[in-house]
Amino acid sequence: MINGNNIIACKYSEAEASIFNASDPATGEQLAGSFSAANYLLVDQALMSASEAFKTYRTISAKRRAEFLRAIAYEIILLGDELVNRAMAESGLTKARLTGELGRTTGQLRMFASFLEEGSWVNAVIDKALPERLPLPRPDIRKMLLPIGPVVVFGASNFPLAFSVAGGDTASALASGCPVIVKAHPAHPGTSALVGQAISKAAISTGMPDGVFSLLFDNGYTVGAELVKHQQTKAVVFTGSFKGGMALVKLANERNVPIPVFTEMGSINPVILLPEVLKQRPEELATKYAASITLGAGQFCTNPGLILAVRSPGLDRFINGLLNSIEAIPSATMLTSGIWENYTLLSSQALAKPGLDLIGRSALLNSENVNQAVATVAKVSATIFMSDPKLSEEIFGPWSLVVECDDVAQLQRVIESLEGQLTATVMAEKEELPGYSSLLDALTYITGRIILNGVPTGVEVCAAMQHGGPFPATSDSRFTSVGTAAVYRFLRPVAWQDWDDSLLPPELQESNPLNIWRQVNNNWTKE
Amino acid sequence: MINGNNIIACKYSEAEASIFNASDPATGEQLAGSFSAANYLLVDQALMSASEAFKTYRTISAKRRAEFLRAIAYEIILLGDELVNRAMAESGLTKARLTGELGRTTGQLRMFASFLEEGSWVNAVIDKALPERLPLPRPDIRKMLLPIGPVVVFGASNFPLAFSVAGGDTASALASGCPVIVKAHPAHPGTSALVGQAISKAAISTGMPDGVFSLLFDNGYTVGAELVKHQQTKAVVFTGSFKGGMALVKLANERNVPIPVFTEMGSINPVILLPEVLKQRPEELATKYAASITLGAGQFCTNPGLILAVRSPGLDRFINGLLNSIEAIPSATMLTSGIWENYTLLSSQALAKPGLDLIGRSALLNSENVNQAVATVAKVSATIFMSDPKLSEEIFGPWSLVVECDDVAQLQRVIESLEGQLTATVMAEKEELPGYSSLLDALTYITGRIILNGVPTGVEVCAAMQHGGPFPATSDSRFTSVGTAAVYRFLRPVAWQDWDDSLLPPELQESNPLNIWRQVNNNWTKE
């Protein structure tokens, strides 16, 4: 039985008058459980509790915060099939996918726990006093990162586990020492409620201050707006549409005290097929990309929505292979009817444009279910592509557009015309790569991650990952939302000058009691 | 002879129809030289050159960029007395101060050069492939920081050398690999012209692309606004008033592609005098703080504008000492007549408030010169202070307000009521510190740097420095404008996945040819 009440400071609040339900996107049928839409009063309670909890949570040792993160992972694993089944029913995603996503969710919680335990993440920098320096002595200065305060996380529709209530954003904010208030995505409230309960249990069992976590429901926009505007909110994280993300950025900029908003707002993730690989292995590329385009019904921020190549017989073979592969891929349930309507509308609008030709579409429509995304690939000339900015906008779903260029120079111009992207991918024979250095260089301006001979879907969760790119892919290209570096969104440096050693945080004390890597007088050391 | 034409891509442009002059703030007299106000055409030329130059400048090795920075320092030293004399005439600052500032300016250019030469600043992170991992192999991912593109730097009035044309902002942006367009501060155009010439010479002599540097003049606001709005501008740096800074932030947020604006907008830099130190050494503190309050006519962003203490006989002795010291400090020329008018107006408005009492003011008015700042200290009760937000606003100049608290609890409430600050200082006997942990902790929420038994004026330029604090002290508390970490304002991470080793930047190549510190599989190493 799912409790659909809001969770304020790890406790269920009373049921509210305004309730809403979840539905199965594959059938349109209502699912069990009803969810209380929150309101300003609950927003205020959640933020005031978070602000109060912050005073202690920020001083709790990183090792104890790591225990909390591990306990969350443990509680989520205890939910097991109940959680996976509910997430399947609410999202239309497959059991295999959601089981994998559950593993990713618990894996990244544990990754942040290890990161905290290792301890060097606070970026301690120490410049020792030089009392004899002339003309003036140098004081002792020691700097490290401190958490900024309560963080509001908007759950993403397309990762009901890994980027929702206990996803990467929540894990990284909690790791950094910031309390978290999650605005549950209305498409999977039951999944959110289950995970919210798991976090609350973990907070209580590991002795965290209860204001460290709250979960609010709303099937409209009011609660989200109030969360961004609340005085105690210190940062906001959002994954979703450009329109939704920019609305939050605007609200945050209008505050008396503006706060950072980290939005990930979509990307078409260009893939460049170089001539030699198209000559050698066009069918192999087609099979690989048909799978990547349609993975999870194409509902990935790193979905390859744009394929660029110079016209050639190899490209024709690739296009023919793509047609064959796409036709054989069954339709798939999209996350919500709204997403399905949008996909259907935008893809048909694109196909209606003069000069844009259908390559092929899935021929296997599941007529028993609703909200079925029909995978579609199309092609267009580079000239038309560059003349119509609409064609560079993301169509969220199993859609990709092949852009045929006259020559390499035009291919380069297409790349240079693109807005910021999360990823760019190059498919090439290794021998041909050195001939395209100017083109490869052009990619480094527009993207956060550049992949060779792979697919952009499937984002590795690790220290070196960069998941974030120039605007409009994200609102702040200097940060990542995937991997351990995601914590740096919620931290700011504080320097202590000539401070008493015993009163410094242990990370900065002269004896380095935590045995962490520090930059001391411009050298990396554990001394 | 100073050339007052705009410098576009290291070359003088033609004289413009609209010219303006500099004046000596001590006498009000016009100084030699006339300066061409720029316009949109020049803004566009500067940014288009910068954008073109960025393509090569970003790929120039860090070692060669270091040569460029050292050459700038060399050219500035060659200017020597001509530069110091012009800066004195334009700013009213003393020879000793400007000679020191020149040393700081060339020193920080060389510091950034060494930082580049050492090389580890790109924050290379490498997670190697795990081809055998189950259920999926891990790809090889390698991440480092890349420059973001042309940076617009607004020269600050109060540091005509160290935070103006070749100051810390320009040095850090050029170090990071970003071309710089400086908007000269209209109060010291001659100083700016001389330094602009030095940078241009250095760029040419070290073979940099000429668009790497431009210098634009304007005695109004149009050119600054056009610079922020230009499509090729990728970041903006500003030090000055809250009003000026927020106007630029607003312009940047309204762009089609928003860009980061790093503004430093003022701070009152609270100083907390603890009871025991007030009992032991009140006169010593008074002498020290009278000097800090009046240094450079109080025209420092870290000027101690607020002194907090609990009522006691020691505090009375401190106040009396402050009175004696302040009265004996001569008036000093302020940077501009506008700054002087503002200081005089705001300090007299404050003194007219009921409950606010004058402690003392400088009794030595230099009546031969104009724009003379009369150092002023006043006192007020904590109750009145907390009830009037106007009293927490910066009065730029040699002003400080002593806030008398009833007890430690009220002192803590005053601290908690403060907005974001660049610095906070605690004056204490070491033995008493442990008794004030809650108060010391409260300081870490509101400031970027916490000083023990020192003065906030005098900002050490080093790796551990944090010069930046929560809003409204700066627009982005996660970054610093002083010290080597200032480069991180202009860099963003890019990850390469499964990339060909020979095509990676040398910082990420397997053999670590630059011998830099890197984080490899979660370990810091030079391997």
Side-chain angles (χ1 to χ4, degrees):
Chain A
M1 184 60 196
I2 290 171
N3 187 329
N5 291 337
N6 296 283
I7 298 176
I8 306 294
C10 292
K11 286 176 209 67
Y12 288 108
S13 68
E14 298 294 305
E16 298 294 323
S18 172
I19 63 156
F20 68 99
N21 303 101
S23 64
D24 183 332
T27 62
E29 281 166 20
Q30 186 175 312
L31 295 167
S34 62
F35 302 89
S36 286
N39 48 45
Y40 177 73
L41 193 68
L42 294 177
V43 166
D44 189 53
Q45 286 175 10
L47 264 310
M48 295 314 288
S49 311
S51 174
E52 190 57 34
F54 181 51
K55 293 181 190 166
T56 49
Y57 190 59
R58 71 201 281 270
T59 66
I60 286 175
S61 72
K63 285 199 190 332
R64 283 204 51 221
R65 291 209 296 269
E67 288 170 21
F68 175 31
L69 296 181
R70 290 190 195 281
I72 297 172
Y74 176 77
E75 293 291 343
I76 289 173
I77 287 165
L78 285 187
L79 288 170
D81 279 353
E82 183 187 6
L83 181 60
V84 170
N85 291 336
R86 179 75 192 194
M88 285 170 65
E90 289 185 330
S91 70
L93 296 170
T94 64
K95 181 158 192 145
R97 152 69 193 269
L98 287 165
T99 306
E101 197 179 319
L102 191 137
R104 175 172 165 175
T105 306
T106 54
Q108 66 195 2
L109 283 159
R110 289 175 177 140
M111 175 193 72
F112 281 109
S114 302
F115 183 65
L116 290 181
E117 286 158 351
E118 194 280 329
S120 307
W121 61 282
V122 297
N123 289 355
V125 183
I126 296 173
D127 285 315
K128 298 194 182 183
L130 299 173
E132 313 295 328
R133 191 185 64 174
L134 294 173
L136 288 170
R138 181 169 87 173
D140 179 282
I141 302 183
R142 292 162 189 252
K143 174 172 71 169
M144 65 177 271
L145 296 169
L146 292 186
I148 54 172
V151 173
V152 168
V153 172
F154 285 79
S157 63
N158 61 340
F159 280 91
L161 299 172
F163 269 84
S164 192
V165 180
D169 291 326
T170 296
S172 55
L174 290 176
S176 74
C178 295
V180 168
I181 302 92
V182 175
K183 159 69 177 61
H185 197 284
H188 54 263
T191 308
S192 299
L194 289 168
V195 175
Q197 189 185 39
I199 298 177
S200 302
K201 278 187 183 172
I204 292 162
S205 73
T206 56
M208 297 295 131
D210 55 14
V212 75
F213 176 72
S214 291
L215 173 67
L216 300 178
F217 295 103
D218 187 21
N219 57 344
Y221 300 106
T222 326
V223 168
E226 295 294 350
L227 284 167
V228 176
K229 291 193 292 188
H230 197 282
Q231 203 193 338
Q232 295 300 332
T233 300
K234 302 301 181 195
V236 175
V237 191
F238 170 87
T239 304
S241 70
F242 179 76
K243 200 177 147 191
M246 289 309 288
L248 299 184
V249 168
K250 187 161 182 286
L251 281 176
N253 287 338
E254 286 166 359
R255 291 167 51 114
N256 283 336
V257 177
I259 52 173
V261 178
F262 301 94
T263 62
E264 197 204 292
M265 301 181 289
S267 179
I268 55 174
N269 302 295
V271 178
I272 293 95
L273 312 178
L274 289 185
E276 192 59 27
V277 76
L278 273 180
K279 196 169 163 187
Q280 304 279 344
R281 305 181 277 140
E283 287 81 12
E284 183 192 325
L285 299 192
T287 312
K288 190 173 196 138
Y289 270 86
S292 177
I293 292 163
T294 57
L295 192 68
Q299 300 164 122
F300 285 108
C301 43
T302 54
N303 194 60
L306 188 68
I307 297 172
L308 310 176
V310 175
R311 273 196 195 85
S312 71
L315 179 59
D316 293 337
R317 284 168 58 197
F318 170 80
I319 288 171
N320 195 48
L322 203 54
L323 158 68
N324 293 334
S325 297
I326 287 286
E327 281 188 342
I329 290 171
S331 71
T333 308
M334 296 198 87
L335 294 159
T336 69
S337 57
I339 288 174
W340 176 81
E341 282 162 20
N342 213 36
Y343 171 69
T344 307
L345 178 71
L346 293 178
S347 57
S348 57
Q349 280 177 348
L351 286 171
K353 282 181 183 279
L356 195 135
D357 298 317
L358 178 70
I359 292 174
R361 60 204 311 174
S362 166
L364 303 169
L365 179 68
N366 175 345
S367 56
E368 283 177 26
N369 286 331
V370 295
N371 299 317
Q372 294 298 298
V374 175
T376 308
V377 286
K379 64 176 181 175
V380 71
S381 73
T383 308
I384 292 178
F385 177 77
M386 284 191 285
S387 70
D388 187 351
K390 191 83 190 161
L391 293 176
S392 302
E393 290 178 12
E394 184 181 24
I395 297 177
F396 191 69
W399 162 273
S400 196
L401 182 61
V402 178
V403 175
E404 297 180 311
C405 305
D406 295 335
D407 50 30
V408 175
Q410 194 183 39
L411 173 56
Q412 173 120 11
R413 285 199 301 280
V414 172
I415 293 170
E416 288 170 358
S417 77
L418 293 174
E419 293 185 299
Q421 304 290 335
L422 289 170
T423 71
T425 304
V426 177
M427 303 302 287
E429 296 296 324
K430 294 231 167 171
E431 307 74 53
E432 67 182 318
L433 276 172
Y436 296 90
S437 61
S438 164
L439 193 148
L440 301 178
D441 190 53
L443 294 175
T444 63
Y445 289 79
I446 59 160
T447 184
R449 179 165 57 113
I450 311 178
I451 300 144
L452 182 62
N453 290 334
V455 291
T457 44
V459 183
E460 183 67 29
V461 182
C462 61
M465 179 48 66
Q466 174 60 16
H467 189 66
F471 188 91
T474 66
S475 58
D476 193 336
S477 64
R478 291 165 305 178
F479 296 91
T480 178
S481 57
V482 174
T484 47
V487 298
Y488 298 111
R489 297 176 293 177
F490 312 119
L491 295 163
R492 70 176 181 91
V494 172
W496 282 261
Q497 180 170 324
D498 285 334
W499 208 253
D500 191 67
D501 195 61
S502 66
L503 296 173
L504 283 168
E507 289 88 345
L508 297 180
Q509 289 175 8
E510 187 64 16
S511 66
N512 193 12
L514 302 181
N515 192 34
I516 58 175
W517 284 102
R518 311 192 294 188
Q519 205 181 326
V520 180
N521 294 339
N522 294 319
N523 288 308
W524 284 101
T525 172
K526 283 195 166 188
E527 301 279 293
Chain B
M1 184 58 195
I2 290 171
N3 187 328
N5 291 337
N6 295 284
I7 298 176
I8 307 295
C10 293
K11 287 176 207 70
Y12 288 109
S13 68
E14 298 294 305
E16 297 295 321
S18 171
I19 63 157
F20 68 99
N21 303 101
S23 65
D24 183 332
T27 61
E29 282 166 20
Q30 185 176 312
L31 295 167
S34 63
F35 302 89
S36 286
N39 48 47
Y40 178 73
L41 193 68
L42 293 177
V43 166
D44 189 53
Q45 286 175 8
L47 263 310
M48 295 314 287
S49 309
S51 174
E52 190 58 33
F54 181 51
K55 293 181 191 166
T56 49
Y57 190 59
R58 72 202 280 270
T59 65
I60 286 176
S61 72
K63 285 201 192 325
R64 282 203 53 220
R65 292 209 295 269
E67 288 170 22
F68 174 33
L69 296 181
R70 289 190 195 280
I72 296 172
Y74 176 77
E75 293 291 342
I76 288 174
I77 287 166
L78 284 187
L79 288 170
D81 280 352
E82 183 187 6
L83 180 60
V84 170
N85 291 336
R86 178 75 192 193
M88 285 170 65
E90 288 186 330
S91 70
L93 297 171
T94 64
K95 181 158 192 145
R97 152 69 193 268
L98 286 165
T99 305
E101 198 180 316
L102 191 136
R104 176 173 164 175
T105 307
T106 54
Q108 67 194 0
L109 283 159
R110 289 175 178 139
M111 175 192 72
F112 281 110
S114 302
F115 183 65
L116 291 182
E117 286 158 351
E118 195 280 330
S120 307
W121 62 280
V122 297
N123 288 356
V125 183
I126 297 173
D127 285 316
K128 298 193 183 184
L130 299 173
E132 313 294 327
R133 190 184 65 172
L134 292 173
L136 288 171
R138 180 169 87 174
D140 179 282
I141 302 183
R142 293 164 188 249
K143 173 172 72 168
M144 64 177 272
L145 296 169
L146 292 186
I148 55 172
V151 173
V152 167
V153 172
F154 285 79
S157 64
N158 61 339
F159 280 92
L161 299 172
F163 269 83
S164 191
V165 180
D169 291 325
T170 296
S172 55
L174 290 176
S176 74
C178 295
V180 169
I181 301 91
V182 176
K183 158 71 176 62
H185 197 284
H188 53 263
T191 308
S192 299
L194 288 168
V195 175
Q197 188 185 41
I199 298 179
S200 303
K201 278 187 184 173
I204 292 163
S205 73
T206 55
M208 297 295 132
D210 54 15
V212 76
F213 176 73
S214 291
L215 173 67
L216 300 179
F217 294 103
D218 187 21
N219 56 344
Y221 300 107
T222 328
V223 168
E226 295 294 350
L227 285 167
V228 176
K229 292 193 289 188
H230 198 283
Q231 203 194 337
Q232 295 301 333
T233 301
K234 302 302 180 195
V236 174
V237 191
F238 170 87
T239 303
S241 70
F242 179 76
K243 199 177 148 191
M246 290 309 288
L248 299 184
V249 168
K250 186 160 183 285
L251 281 176
N253 287 339
E254 286 167 359
R255 291 168 51 114
N256 282 337
V257 177
I259 52 173
V261 178
F262 302 93
T263 63
E264 196 205 291
M265 300 181 290
S267 179
I268 54 173
N269 303 295
V271 178
I272 292 97
L273 311 178
L274 289 184
E276 193 58 29
V277 76
L278 273 180
K279 196 169 164 187
Q280 304 280 344
R281 305 182 276 140
E283 288 81 11
E284 182 191 326
L285 300 191
T287 311
K288 193 173 192 136
Y289 269 86
S292 178
I293 292 163
T294 55
L295 192 69
Q299 300 164 123
F300 285 107
C301 42
T302 55
N303 195 60
L306 188 68
I307 297 172
L308 309 175
V310 175
R311 274 197 194 83
S312 71
L315 179 58
D316 293 337
R317 283 167 60 197
F318 169 80
I319 287 171
N320 195 49
L322 203 55
L323 157 67
N324 293 333
S325 297
I326 287 285
E327 281 188 341
I329 289 171
S331 71
T333 307
M334 297 198 86
L335 294 159
T336 69
S337 57
I339 287 174
W340 177 80
E341 282 162 18
N342 212 37
Y343 172 69
T344 306
L345 177 71
L346 292 178
S347 57
S348 56
Q349 280 177 348
L351 286 171
K353 282 181 184 280
L356 195 135
D357 299 318
L358 178 69
I359 292 174
R361 59 203 313 174
S362 166
L364 303 168
L365 179 69
N366 175 345
S367 57
E368 284 178 24
N369 286 331
V370 294
N371 299 316
Q372 293 299 299
V374 175
T376 307
V377 285
K379 65 177 180 174
V380 72
S381 73
T383 308
I384 292 179
F385 178 77
M386 285 191 286
S387 70
D388 186 351
K390 190 83 190 163
L391 293 176
S392 302
E393 290 179 13
E394 184 181 24
I395 298 177
F396 190 69
W399 162 272
S400 196
L401 182 61
V402 178
V403 174
E404 297 180 311
C405 304
D406 296 335
D407 50 29
V408 175
Q410 193 182 40
L411 173 57
Q412 174 121 10
R413 285 200 301 280
V414 172
I415 293 170
E416 288 170 359
S417 77
L418 294 174
E419 294 185 299
Q421 304 290 335
L422 289 170
T423 71
T425 304
V426 177
M427 303 301 289
E429 295 297 323
K430 295 229 165 172
E431 307 75 54
E432 67 182 321
L433 277 172
Y436 295 91
S437 61
S438 166
L439 194 148
L440 300 178
D441 190 51
L443 294 175
T444 63
Y445 290 79
I446 60 161
T447 185
R449 177 164 59 111
I450 311 179
I451 300 144
L452 181 62
N453 290 334
V455 291
T457 43
V459 183
E460 184 66 31
V461 182
C462 62
M465 178 49 65
Q466 173 60 17
H467 189 67
F471 187 90
T474 66
S475 57
D476 193 336
S477 65
R478 292 166 303 179
F479 296 91
T480 179
S481 57
V482 174
T484 47
V487 299
Y488 298 112
R489 298 177 292 178
F490 314 119
L491 296 163
R492 69 176 182 90
V494 173
W496 282 261
Q497 180 170 324
D498 286 335
W499 208 254
D500 191 68
D501 195 60
S502 66
L503 296 173
L504 282 169
E507 288 87 346
L508 297 179
Q509 289 176 6
E510 187 65 16
S511 66
N512 193 11
L514 302 182
N515 192 35
I516 58 174
W517 284 101
R518 310 192 294 187
Q519 206 181 324
V520 180
N521 294 340
N522 294 318
N523 286 308
W524 285 102
T525 172
K526 283 195 166 186
E527 302 279 291

